[in-house]
Amino acid sequence: MTSRARPRCEVHVDLDAIRHNVCLARELAGAAEVMAVVKADGYGHGAAPVARAALAAGATCLGVAYLEEGRRLRESVPHAPVVVLTDPLPGEEDDAVAHALTVTVSTADTVRRVAAAAHRADRQATVHLKIDTGLHRLGAPARDAGRLAVLAREHGLAVEGVWTHFALADDPRDPFVDTQLDRFHRAVDELRALGVRPRYRHAAGSAATAARPAARLDLVRLGALLYGIRPGPAVPHLDGLRPALAWYGRVVAVRRADRGESLGYGLKYRLDADTTLAVVGAGFADGLPRLLGNRGHLLVGGRRRRIAGAVGMSHTVVDCGDDDVAVGDRVVLLGADGDAEVGAEEYAGWSGSSVYEAVTRISPWSPRVYHGGGADGSGAEGRGAAR
């Protein structure tokens, strides 16, 4: 008889929470439609299952960062609109047209390459024009937007959308958001004066969707809120938002240590009392930040317990006091257990990172287990690869 090994770590994803959050966002956005952003493998949740759940809840389209993400996603959602939010690299334009992906264009070179690929395939390509209004990372300068839109039209491209990206996405109350919106509106007015009238104007990600009604326009890009994560401390809490992800580990060893002992790499954690130490089979190779050492907490037996010493590559030690702990016990790395919870915002604060990093850095070799509607196409629980 062969035994089946259990994974040391698992990520559980509640697809009903995804659907619920889309519905919440649709109510919040009013007349604006919703793009479900599933880049970075759905923020570590699994792009394809999340995409299907979001579309079922009324999302209009899907957003990814790179063409390769869109190509992979197309296998699972063959007919849904997929917007690639970065210009395709030279050589990718034929793939974009072949897979009916809507691509971002922000340079004349991109416009010409995509138009040539569409001509070769005897299809019309659909594009979104990105305008840089102050982030200074990607996008066409606002002064060039009209010229680029006319060039796209002259080359036979369907300019479906025009968009921008806020520099202060985690603090949408900052007045620079108004500056960017004003620059964006002036660029869009120029496009309209030239006879280019895109169906979608979009500027708001999750933070601005929650906090800036004026930024919602025709389409909102739902990222963090899709997954039930508050985008930043300056963003108002949304009643009813449901986190979709829980990350579990297991106790792989238990030992007792005496008062006065120090432990871990560098011996930086000193015991004030005789204690039970639980060794958890998860470390920084699994996505647990090293900076959580001596400051972060995990949930063991439904109680918050401090990480003792440095986080190792494959193991992390937790100070469990006098609790009874056994090998094989479940440990919550991120998520809730009864009334106790380690949320993405708190988790990110311990490591000095962001809520986005908290979920996207979880290793792809932790199996994703899906619950709720759409988990396997019939509403039952399903299991899938992380990427």
Side-chain angles (χ1 to χ4, degrees):
M1 180 178 179
T2 58
S3 62
R4 182 178 178 182
R6 293 187 298 177
R8 291 180 300 110
C9 298
E10 282 188 338
V11 174
H12 287 231
V13 179
D14 181 356
L15 296 176
D16 285 338
I18 297 290
R19 295 165 69 116
H20 169 83
N21 295 334
V22 171
C23 292
L24 190 68
R26 290 180 66 198
E27 292 179 9
L28 185 68
E33 298 178 35
V34 169
M35 173 192 293
V37 180
V38 294
K39 64 181 181 179
D41 194 39
Y43 288 39
H45 294 61
V50 168
R52 289 191 292 264
L55 291 168
T60 297
C61 59
L62 306 169
V64 296
Y66 299 117
L67 188 133
E68 178 61 16
E69 293 178 306
R71 188 190 64 77
R72 292 183 181 182
L73 190 60
R74 182 56 80 214
E75 298 171 5
S76 301
V77 285
H79 305 298
V82 177
V83 182
V84 181
L85 298 169
T86 308
D87 285 40
L89 292 172
E92 292 183 335
E93 55 274 1
D94 287 298
D95 231 8
V97 173
H99 290 91
L101 301 173
T102 298
V103 297
T104 288
V105 296
S106 61
T107 70
D109 175 67
T110 304
V111 166
R112 293 188 180 100
R113 286 190 288 106
V114 173
H119 179 74
R120 287 191 293 271
D122 195 23
R123 296 182 181 181
Q124 184 178 46
T126 302
V127 300
H128 284 211
L129 169 63
K130 183 173 185 180
I131 301 173
D132 177 22
T133 56
L135 181 59
H136 298 308
R137 188 175 66 183
L138 299 170
R143 64 180 178 274
D144 295 338
R147 177 183 59 80
L148 197 61
V150 170
L151 182 67
R153 183 181 61 186
E154 290 174 349
H155 279 72
L157 300 179
V159 183
E160 180 189 63
V162 56
W163 67 287
T164 194
H165 197 163
F166 291 135
L168 291 156
D170 58 348
D171 190 2
R173 297 174 297 184
D174 191 284
F176 190 65
V177 174
D178 293 320
T179 299
Q180 287 192 261
L181 271 175
D182 180 63
R183 291 171 180 173
F184 182 65
H185 285 309
R186 282 190 276 117
V188 171
D189 287 344
E190 181 183 354
L191 262 63
R192 288 175 168 170
L194 293 169
V196 181
R197 297 177 175 272
R199 176 180 177 183
Y200 295 117
R201 301 162 301 150
H202 52 109
S206 285
T209 298
R212 284 283 186 135
R216 293 169 188 160
L217 306 178
D218 306 310
L219 182 73
V220 298
R221 301 188 300 270
L222 202 65
L225 293 182
L226 175 63
Y227 305 98
I229 299 170
R230 186 182 177 202
V235 179
H237 285 281
L238 289 182
D239 290 338
L241 197 66
R242 288 168 50 183
L245 180 147
W247 184 22
Y248 301 117
R250 293 187 181 278
V251 175
V252 299
V254 178
R255 59 194 306 117
R256 289 288 293 179
D258 298 333
R259 176 186 178 187
E261 290 285 340
S262 296
L263 59 94
Y265 292 124
L267 299 177
K268 294 181 179 179
Y269 189 88
R270 186 176 177 84
L271 298 174
D272 295 328
D274 295 349
T275 241
T276 297
L277 300 174
V279 182
V280 181
F284 60 79
D286 302 286
L288 200 65
R290 291 192 81 245
L291 288 173
L292 263 59
N294 288 345
R295 68 179 74 178
H297 293 78
L298 307 181
L299 304 183
V300 184
R303 299 183 65 184
R304 294 168 67 93
R305 289 300 185 181
R306 184 178 296 277
I307 294 174
V311 173
M313 183 180 291
S314 304
H315 300 98
T316 299
V317 178
V318 182
D319 185 342
C320 293
D322 289 325
D323 288 358
D324 290 329
V325 183
V327 171
D329 283 357
R330 190 178 75 171
V331 177
V332 178
L333 309 174
L334 186 61
D337 188 353
D339 293 332
E341 182 177 9
V342 174
E345 190 172 351
E346 182 179 32
Y347 183 98
W350 290 329
S351 60
S353 62
S354 72
V355 290
Y356 305 94
E357 187 177 355
V359 290
T360 58
R361 71 179 298 156
I362 300 173
S363 168
W365 58 71
S366 289
R368 271 55 172 175
V369 180
Y370 297 97
H371 307 272
D376 65 354
S378 63
E381 179 179 301
R383 186 179 295 264
R387 288 175 173 77

